[in-house]
């Protein structure tokens, strides 16, 4: 039996309900040459196993059954066993994605990636077209929360109509909110459409900007959002500078959402699209959690969620709860197991898990310390 570690950011794959590791699947060398029917995917560890022995295949199937049973407990609002609330929300991109999530047992949307609505367009969508698309999503989530991210164009999400030309380092270039500042009409149109769509539905609409680095950028965006008629405005925290100064960054904002996919990329200077660097981008890196903890405590009580892929890892969701986050947003397919994990642990255990990660010297040590503190059935399912 040979195993191939699969690494990288598999956002779309995860959204399509494929069980994958926290980093998802972008690289699986050797899989295509395996005999048909001779590939196993261990969604907990992110291992692709080629030519598994009958025992290995049997154990994968048994663990999958146990996972399905365990996640049957994961219904209703997110809460720990002692009643500490953490909202469990869905990440959505396309309209289909949003409609599917709206029929699931989720408390709302924690990250609506609006750039996936208009991927193959040479010209920007009109205000009317955007209003219609947002209204459909908000209607589907009537009475629930929907956190919308304004266009995060650039780097890993190129959009033809929001492109200022070649850059040597697109991930460090004019992307996200930086592009909003250069192409103001795109932001103004989007805010106008979001405000119009919000007025016609009962969804609780929150709007946030991507790739904010400084307090003045966050305040600039918050003022524009409020002026457009959007009462709840916030920022993503994806850049270490913003995480470390969250109090100042949130001065004029209502909330923050930590995007750990990019936060890890910038914290470790490791391209999130390069599978070879995935160990640096592991959600178990202690330095990532030092940064998250600093961000949450700096926010002084304002809601701070996590909407990066790590929120969908049940053990990391517990660590995040210990760090004091108010919401966890993930691919819809992951919400059941995360809620089940929350219900099996109290807040004190989650706090101890965070401390164990902060005390660890490596991601491996961090994970094994948390597994030791975790409920046995959950630990067995996750392997
Ligand atoms: C993130 O960076 O963690 C995030 C949620 O945004 P995206 O993956 O879309 O960049
Ligand atoms: Mg991001």
């Amino acid at each position: 039996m040979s195993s191939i570690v699969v690494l990288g950011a598999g956002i779309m794959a995860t959204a399509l309900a494929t069980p994958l590791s926290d980093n998802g699947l972008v690289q699986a060398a050797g899989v295509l040459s395996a005999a048909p029917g001779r590939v196993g995917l261990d969604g907990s560890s992110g291992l692709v196993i080629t030519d598994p022995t009958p025992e290995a295949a049997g154990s994968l199937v048994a663990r999958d059954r146990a996972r399905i049973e365990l996640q049957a407990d994961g219904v209703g609002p997110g809460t720990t066993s002692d009643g500490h609330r953490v909202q469990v929300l869905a990440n959505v991109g396309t309209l289909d994605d949003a409609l599917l999530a709206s029929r699931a047992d989720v408390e709302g949307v924690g990250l609506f990636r609006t750039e996936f609505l208009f991927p193959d367009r040479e010209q920007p969508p009109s205000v009317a077209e955007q209003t219609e698309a947002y209204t459909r999503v908000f209607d589907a989530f009537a009475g629930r929360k929907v956190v919308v991210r304004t266009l995060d164009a650039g780097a890993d999400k190129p959009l033809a109509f929001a492109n200022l030309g070649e850059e040597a380092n697109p991930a460090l270039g004019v992307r996200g909110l930086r592009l909003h500042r250069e192409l103001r009409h795109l932001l103004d149109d989007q805010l106008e459409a979001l405000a119009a769509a919000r007025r016609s539905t009962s969804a609780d609409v929150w709007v946030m900007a991507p790739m904010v680095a400084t307090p003045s950028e966050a305040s600039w965006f918050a003022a524009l959002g409020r002026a457009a008629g959007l009462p709840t405005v916030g920022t993503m925290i994806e850049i270490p500078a913003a995480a470390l100064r969250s109090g100042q960054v949130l001065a004029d904002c209502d909330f923050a959402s930590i995007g750990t996919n990019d936060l890890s990329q910038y914290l470790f200077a490791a391209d999130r699209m390069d599978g070879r660097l995935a160990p640096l981008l592991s959600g178990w890196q202690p330095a990532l959690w030092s940064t998250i903890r600093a961000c949450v405590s700096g926010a002084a009580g304002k809601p701070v969620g996590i909407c990066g892929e790590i929120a969908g890892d049940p053990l990391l969701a517990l660590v995040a709860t210990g760090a004091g986050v108010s919401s966890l947003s993930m691919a819809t397919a992951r919400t059941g197991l995360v809620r089940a994990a929350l219900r099996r642990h109290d807040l004190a255990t989650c706090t101890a898990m965070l401390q164990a990660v902060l005390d660890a010297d490596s991601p491996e040590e961090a994970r094994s310390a948390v597994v030791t503190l975790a409920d046995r059935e959950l630990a067995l399912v996750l392997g």
Side-chain angles (χ1 to χ4, degrees):
M1 180 178 83
S2 66
S3 299
I4 303 151
V5 183
V6 291
L7 308 160
I11 291 162
M12 294 313 287
T14 323
L16 295 172
T18 314
L20 296 172
S21 76
D22 61 304
N23 282 318
L25 170 69
V26 291
Q27 196 184 71
V31 165
L32 292 179
S33 55
R38 303 297 304 154
V39 177
L41 172 60
D42 181 344
S44 310
S45 63
L47 288 180
V48 168
I49 303 162
T50 54
D51 296 323
T53 61
E55 296 73 41
S59 126
L60 273 183
V61 171
R63 279 203 3 234
D64 197 44
R65 285 212 185 98
R67 179 183 59 80
I68 290 166
E69 267 173 39
L70 200 115
Q71 77 184 33
D73 295 347
V75 290
T79 175
T80 59
S81 59
D82 54 340
H84 175 77
R85 286 277 288 119
V86 183
Q87 283 187 324
V88 176
L89 305 165
N91 286 355
V92 303
T94 62
L95 271 182
D96 283 350
D97 209 10
L99 298 179
L100 207 68
S102 73
R103 292 192 282 274
D105 180 15
V106 296
E107 294 172 69
V109 171
L111 172 62
F112 177 11
R113 289 182 163 105
T114 54
E115 56 285 345
F116 288 146
L117 283 179
F118 311 106
D120 300 317
R121 303 277 296 260
E122 292 297 321
Q123 296 304 320
S126 66
V127 172
E129 195 180 350
Q130 290 189 63
T131 305
E132 191 194 328
Y134 304 145
T135 303
R136 287 186 63 190
V137 175
F138 297 166
D139 278 344
F141 282 92
R144 287 184 278 178
K145 170 174 165 180
V146 181
V147 184
V148 184
R149 177 177 72 191
T150 52
L151 285 176
D152 184 19
D156 56 302
K157 304 177 205 72
L159 286 180
F161 61 83
N163 185 346
L164 294 175
E166 288 287 300
E167 292 179 310
N169 292 303
L172 303 180
V174 184
R175 56 166 299 202
L177 176 120
R178 302 165 186 184
L179 207 60
H180 292 341
R181 299 189 84 142
E182 298 286 327
L183 303 172
R184 262 294 296 279
H185 61 286
L186 288 182
L187 179 61
D188 290 343
D189 284 0
Q190 188 170 24
L191 293 176
E192 185 184 334
L194 286 167
R198 177 186 164 272
R199 279 195 297 276
S200 68
T201 78
S202 66
D204 179 18
V205 176
W206 297 22
V207 178
M208 63 184 179
M211 290 296 294
V212 166
T214 65
S216 67
E217 288 177 354
S219 300
W220 176 80
F221 177 82
L224 285 178
R226 291 189 208 287
L230 295 159
T232 312
V233 283
T235 171
M236 289 198 69
I237 300 278
E238 304 173 278
I239 299 178
L244 296 174
R245 306 278 289 175
S246 58
Q248 292 87 343
V249 166
L250 290 184
D252 294 324
C253 292
D254 302 301
F255 72 98
S257 186
I258 305 178
T260 48
N261 307 334
D262 276 312
L263 182 59
S264 295
Q265 159 164 268
Y266 298 122
L267 192 60
F268 288 91
D271 185 344
R272 64 189 269 188
M273 304 304 285
D274 189 337
R276 296 168 304 177
L277 302 176
L280 286 172
L281 300 170
S282 161
W284 290 100
Q285 285 286 0
L288 175 64
W289 288 97
S290 301
T291 314
I292 292 173
R293 187 179 60 166
C295 177
V296 175
S297 35
K302 288 195 179 169
V304 178
I306 293 186
C307 61
E309 296 298 296
I310 68 166
D313 177 311
L315 292 175
L316 289 171
L318 298 173
V319 176
T321 301
V325 305
S326 53
S327 64
L328 295 161
S329 192
M330 64 205 75
T332 306
R334 295 184 176 248
T335 53
L337 198 55
V338 165
R339 268 191 307 242
L342 287 170
R343 279 172 195 268
R344 285 172 176 254
H345 299 82
D346 60 16
L347 182 57
T349 306
C350 295
T351 310
M353 287 174 164
L354 171 70
Q355 195 54 52
V357 172
L358 294 173
D359 290 343
D361 288 328
S362 67
E364 296 74 25
E365 199 180 305
R367 188 175 191 277
S368 81
V370 167
V371 167
T372 312
L373 294 167
D375 168 82
R376 294 317 327 140
E377 275 179 56
L378 180 69
L380 268 170
V381 163
L382 298 176

